[in-house]
Coordinates of all heavy atoms in Angstrom, one line a residue:
A101 N 187.7 85.0 175.0 CA 188.3 84.0 174.2 C 188.0 82.5 174.6 O 187.7 81.7 173.7 CB 189.8 84.1 174.2
P102 N 187.8 82.2 175.9 CA 187.4 80.9 176.3 C 186.1 80.5 175.7 O 185.8 79.3 175.5 CB 187.4 80.9 177.8 CG 188.4 82.0 178.1 CD 188.1 83.1 177.1
L103 N 185.2 81.5 175.5 CA 183.8 81.2 175.0 C 183.8 80.9 173.5 O 182.9 80.4 172.9 CB 182.9 82.3 175.3 CG 182.7 82.7 176.8 CD1 181.8 83.9 177.0 CD2 182.2 81.6 177.6
A104 N 184.9 81.4 172.8 CA 184.9 81.3 171.3 C 185.0 79.8 170.9 O 184.5 79.4 169.8 CB 186.1 82.0 170.8
V105 N 185.5 78.9 171.8 CA 185.6 77.6 171.4 C 184.2 76.9 171.2 O 184.0 75.9 170.5 CB 186.4 76.7 172.4 CG1 187.8 77.2 172.5 CG2 185.7 76.9 173.7
N106 N 183.2 77.5 171.8 CA 181.8 77.1 171.6 C 181.1 77.6 170.4 O 179.9 77.2 170.2 CB 181.0 77.4 172.9 CG 181.7 76.8 174.2 OD1 182.1 75.6 174.1 ND2 181.8 77.5 175.2
V107 N 181.7 78.5 169.7 CA 181.0 79.1 168.5 C 181.3 78.1 167.3 O 182.4 77.8 167.0 CB 181.6 80.5 168.1 CG1 180.8 81.0 166.9 CG2 181.3 81.4 169.3
P108 N 180.2 77.6 166.7 CA 180.4 76.7 165.5 C 181.2 77.4 164.4 O 180.9 78.5 164.0 CB 178.9 76.3 165.1 CG 178.1 76.6 166.3 CD 178.8 77.8 167.0
L109 N 182.1 76.6 163.8 CA 182.8 77.2 162.6 C 181.9 77.5 161.5 O 182.2 78.5 160.8 CB 183.9 76.3 162.3 CG 185.1 76.0 163.3 CD1 186.1 75.1 162.6 CD2 185.8 77.4 163.6
A110 N 180.9 76.7 161.3 CA 179.9 77.0 160.3 C 179.2 78.4 160.5 O 179.0 79.2 159.5 CB 178.8 76.0 160.2
A111 N 179.0 78.8 161.6 CA 178.4 80.1 161.9 C 179.4 81.2 161.6 O 179.0 82.3 161.0 CB 178.0 80.2 163.4
L112 N 180.7 81.0 162.0 CA 181.6 81.9 161.7 C 181.9 82.1 160.1 O 182.1 83.2 159.6 CB 183.0 81.6 162.4 CG 183.1 81.7 163.9 CD1 184.4 81.2 164.4 CD2 182.8 83.1 164.3
A113 N 181.9 81.0 159.5 CA 182.0 81.0 158.0 C 180.9 81.7 157.4 O 181.1 82.5 156.4 CB 182.1 79.6 157.5
G114 N 179.7 81.6 157.9 CA 178.5 82.3 157.3 C 178.7 83.7 157.5 O 178.3 84.6 156.6
I115 N 179.1 84.2 158.7 CA 179.3 85.6 158.9 C 180.4 86.2 158.0 O 180.2 87.3 157.4 CB 179.7 85.8 160.4 CG1 178.6 85.5 161.3 CG2 180.2 87.3 160.6 CD1 179.0 85.5 162.8
L116 N 181.4 85.5 157.8 CA 182.5 85.9 156.8 C 182.0 86.0 155.4 O 182.3 86.9 154.7 CB 183.7 84.9 157.0 CG 184.5 85.0 158.2 CD1 185.6 84.0 158.3 CD2 185.1 86.5 158.4
L117 N 181.2 85.0 155.0 CA 180.7 85.0 153.6 C 179.7 86.2 153.5 O 179.8 86.9 152.5 CB 179.9 83.7 153.4 CG 180.8 82.5 153.1 CD1 179.9 81.2 152.9 CD2 181.6 82.7 151.8
F118 N 178.9 86.5 154.5 CA 178.0 87.6 154.4 C 178.8 89.0 154.3 O 178.5 89.8 153.5 CB 177.1 87.7 155.7 CG 176.2 88.8 155.7 CD1 175.0 88.8 154.9 CD2 176.4 89.9 156.4 CE1 174.1 89.9 154.9 CE2 175.5 90.9 156.4 CZ 174.4 90.9 155.7
V119 N 179.8 89.1 155.1 CA 180.7 90.3 155.0 C 181.3 90.4 153.7 O 181.4 91.5 153.1 CB 181.7 90.4 156.2 CG1 182.7 91.5 156.0 CG2 181.0 90.4 157.5
A120 N 181.9 89.3 153.2 CA 182.6 89.3 151.9 C 181.7 89.7 150.7 O 182.0 90.4 149.9 CB 183.3 87.9 151.7
Y121 N 180.4 89.2 150.9 CA 179.4 89.5 149.8 C 179.1 91.0 149.8 O 179.0 91.7 148.8 CB 178.1 88.6 150.0 CG 177.0 89.0 149.0 CD1 177.1 88.4 147.8 CD2 176.0 89.9 149.3 CE1 176.1 88.8 146.8 CE2 175.0 90.2 148.4 CZ 175.1 89.6 147.2 OH 174.1 90.0 146.2
N122 N 179.0 91.5 151.0 CA 178.7 93.0 151.0 C 179.9 93.8 150.6 O 179.7 95.0 150.2 CB 178.3 93.3 152.5 CG 176.9 92.9 152.8 OD1 176.0 92.7 151.9 ND2 176.6 92.6 154.1
M123 N 181.1 93.3 150.8 CA 182.3 94.0 150.4 C 182.5 93.9 148.8 O 183.2 94.7 148.2 CB 183.5 93.4 151.0 CG 183.7 93.7 152.4 SD 185.1 92.8 153.1 CE 186.4 93.3 152.1
G124 N 181.8 93.1 148.1 CA 181.9 92.9 146.7 C 181.7 94.0 145.8 O 182.3 94.2 144.7
E125 N 180.8 95.0 146.3 CA 180.4 96.1 145.4 C 180.0 95.6 144.1 O 180.5 96.1 143.0 CB 181.6 97.1 145.4 CG 182.0 97.7 146.7 CD 181.0 98.7 147.2 OE1 180.1 99.1 146.5 OE2 181.1 99.1 148.4
W126 N 179.1 94.7 143.9 CA 178.7 94.1 142.7 C 178.2 95.1 141.7 O 178.2 94.9 140.5 CB 177.8 92.9 143.0 CG 178.3 91.9 144.0 CD1 177.9 91.7 145.3 CD2 179.4 91.0 143.8 NE1 178.6 90.9 145.9 CE2 179.6 90.4 145.1 CE3 180.3 90.7 142.7 CZ2 180.6 89.4 145.3 CZ3 181.2 89.8 143.0 CH2 181.4 89.1 144.2
R127 N 177.5 96.1 142.2 CA 177.0 97.1 141.3 C 178.1 97.7 140.4 O 177.7 98.3 139.3 CB 176.2 98.2 142.1 CG 177.1 99.1 143.0 CD 176.2 100.1 143.7 NE 175.4 99.4 144.7 CZ 175.9 99.2 146.0 NH1 177.1 99.6 146.3 NH2 175.2 98.6 146.8
E128 N 179.2 97.8 140.8 CA 180.3 98.3 140.0 C 180.6 97.6 138.8 O 181.0 98.2 137.8 CB 181.7 98.4 140.8 CG 181.6 99.2 142.1 CD 181.4 100.7 141.8 OE1 181.9 101.2 140.8 OE2 180.6 101.4 142.5
F129 N 180.3 96.3 138.7 CA 180.4 95.6 137.5 C 179.5 96.1 136.4 O 179.7 96.1 135.2 CB 180.3 94.2 137.7 CG 181.5 93.5 138.4 CD1 181.4 93.4 139.9 CD2 182.6 93.0 137.7 CE1 182.5 92.9 140.5 CE2 183.7 92.5 138.5 CZ 183.6 92.4 139.8
A130 N 178.3 96.5 136.8 CA 177.3 97.0 135.9 C 177.7 98.4 135.3 O 177.3 98.7 134.2 CB 175.9 97.1 136.6
R131 N 178.5 99.1 136.1 CA 178.9 100.4 135.6 C 180.2 100.4 134.7 O 180.6 101.4 134.2 CB 179.2 101.2 136.9 CG 178.0 101.6 137.8 CD 178.4 102.4 139.0 NE 179.0 103.7 138.6 CZ 180.1 104.2 139.0 NH1 180.8 103.5 139.9 NH2 180.5 105.3 138.6
L132 N 180.7 99.2 134.5 CA 181.9 99.1 133.7 C 181.7 99.5 132.3 O 182.7 100.1 131.7 CB 182.4 97.6 133.7 CG 183.3 97.2 134.9 CD1 183.6 95.7 134.7 CD2 184.5 97.9 135.1
R133 N 180.6 99.4 131.7 CA 180.3 99.8 130.4 C 180.5 101.3 130.2 O 180.7 101.8 129.1 CB 178.9 99.4 129.9 CG 177.8 100.0 130.7 CD 176.4 99.5 130.1 NE 175.4 100.2 130.8 CZ 174.8 99.8 131.9 NH1 175.2 98.7 132.5 NH2 173.8 100.5 132.5
R134 N 180.5 102.1 131.2 CA 180.7 103.5 131.1 C 182.1 103.9 131.0 O 182.4 105.0 130.7 CB 180.1 104.2 132.4 CG 178.6 103.9 132.6 CD 178.1 104.7 133.8 NE 176.8 104.3 134.2 CZ 176.1 104.7 135.3 NH1 176.7 105.5 136.1 NH2 174.9 104.4 135.5
F135 N 183.1 103.0 131.3 CA 184.5 103.4 131.3 C 185.1 102.7 130.1 O 184.6 101.8 129.5 CB 185.1 102.8 132.6 CG 184.4 103.4 133.9 CD1 183.5 102.8 134.5 CD2 184.8 104.7 134.3 CE1 182.9 103.4 135.7 CE2 184.3 105.3 135.4 CZ 183.3 104.6 136.1
N136 N 186.4 103.1 129.9 CA 187.1 102.6 128.7 C 187.7 101.2 129.1 O 187.7 100.8 130.2 CB 188.2 103.7 128.2 CG 189.2 103.9 129.3 OD1 189.5 103.0 130.1 ND2 189.7 105.1 129.3
I137 N 188.4 100.7 128.0 CA 188.8 99.3 128.2 C 189.9 99.1 129.2 O 190.0 98.1 129.9 CB 189.4 98.8 126.8 CG1 189.8 97.3 126.9 CG2 190.5 99.6 126.3 CD1 188.6 96.4 127.1
T138 N 190.8 100.1 129.4 CA 191.9 100.0 130.5 C 191.3 99.9 131.9 O 191.8 99.1 132.7 CB 192.8 101.2 130.3 OG1 192.0 102.4 130.4 CG2 193.6 101.2 129.0
Y139 N 190.3 100.7 132.2 CA 189.6 100.6 133.5 C 189.0 99.2 133.7 O 189.0 98.7 134.8 CB 188.7 101.8 133.7 CG 189.3 103.0 133.9 CD1 189.3 104.0 132.8 CD2 190.0 103.4 135.1 CE1 189.9 105.3 133.1 CE2 190.5 104.6 135.3 CZ 190.5 105.6 134.3 OH 191.2 106.8 134.4
R140 N 188.4 98.7 132.7 CA 187.8 97.4 132.7 C 188.8 96.3 133.0 O 188.7 95.4 133.9 CB 187.0 97.0 131.5 CG 185.8 98.1 131.2 CD 185.3 97.7 129.8 NE 184.4 98.7 129.4 CZ 183.8 98.8 128.2 NH1 184.1 97.8 127.3 NH2 183.0 99.8 127.8
V141 N 190.0 96.5 132.4 CA 191.0 95.5 132.6 C 191.5 95.5 133.9 O 191.8 94.5 134.6 CB 192.2 95.7 131.5 CG1 193.4 94.9 131.8 CG2 191.7 95.4 130.1
V142 N 191.7 96.7 134.5 CA 192.3 96.9 135.9 C 191.3 96.1 136.9 O 191.7 95.4 137.7 CB 192.5 98.3 136.3 CG1 192.8 98.4 137.7 CG2 193.6 98.8 135.4
L143 N 190.0 96.5 136.8 CA 189.0 96.0 137.7 C 188.9 94.5 137.6 O 189.0 93.7 138.6 CB 187.7 96.7 137.6 CG 186.7 96.3 138.7 CD1 185.8 97.6 138.9 CD2 185.8 95.1 138.4
L144 N 188.7 94.0 136.4 CA 188.4 92.5 136.1 C 189.6 91.7 136.5 O 189.5 90.6 137.0 CB 188.0 92.3 134.7 CG 186.7 92.9 134.4 CD1 186.3 92.7 132.9 CD2 185.5 92.3 135.2
S145 N 190.8 92.2 136.1 CA 192.1 91.4 136.4 C 192.3 91.3 137.9 O 192.6 90.2 138.4 CB 193.2 92.0 135.7 OG 193.4 93.3 136.1
T146 N 192.0 92.4 138.6 CA 192.3 92.4 140.1 C 191.2 91.5 140.7 O 191.5 90.7 141.6 CB 192.1 93.8 140.6 OG1 193.0 94.7 140.0 CG2 192.3 93.8 142.1
F147 N 189.9 91.5 140.2 CA 188.9 90.6 140.8 C 189.3 89.2 140.5 O 189.2 88.3 141.4 CB 187.6 90.9 140.1 CG 186.5 90.0 140.5 CD1 185.9 90.1 141.7 CD2 186.1 89.1 139.5 CE1 184.8 89.2 142.0 CE2 185.1 88.1 139.9 CZ 184.4 88.2 141.1
V148 N 189.7 88.8 139.3 CA 190.0 87.4 139.0 C 191.2 86.9 139.8 O 191.2 85.8 140.3 CB 190.2 87.3 137.5 CG1 190.7 85.9 137.1 CG2 188.9 87.5 136.7

């Protein structure tokens, strides 16, 4: 913990953004056309 004060916040922010991007499962949006309107509403409304 004492060493953490020396880690730049910009570096931590970059790591979090990278993790968040990989969590996005963006390919699922391309598969939405295979499902009916109710499933699309659930996914898109939760995302927004």
Side-chain angles (χ1 to χ4, degrees):
L103 303 177
V105 297
N106 299 318
V107 179
L109 292 181
L112 292 177
I115 294 172
L116 290 175
L117 285 173
F118 179 76
V119 173
Y121 177 81
N122 287 333
M123 287 175 57
E125 299 288 350
W126 307 107
R127 66 180 70 89
E128 296 299 322
F129 288 93
R131 297 178 58 229
L132 276 179
R133 64 179 182 275
R134 303 179 186 177
F135 300 97
N136 61 31
I137 185 63
T138 53
Y139 287 106
R140 298 175 191 174
V141 169
V142 171
L143 191 148
L144 292 175
S145 60
T146 305
F147 173 77
V148 171

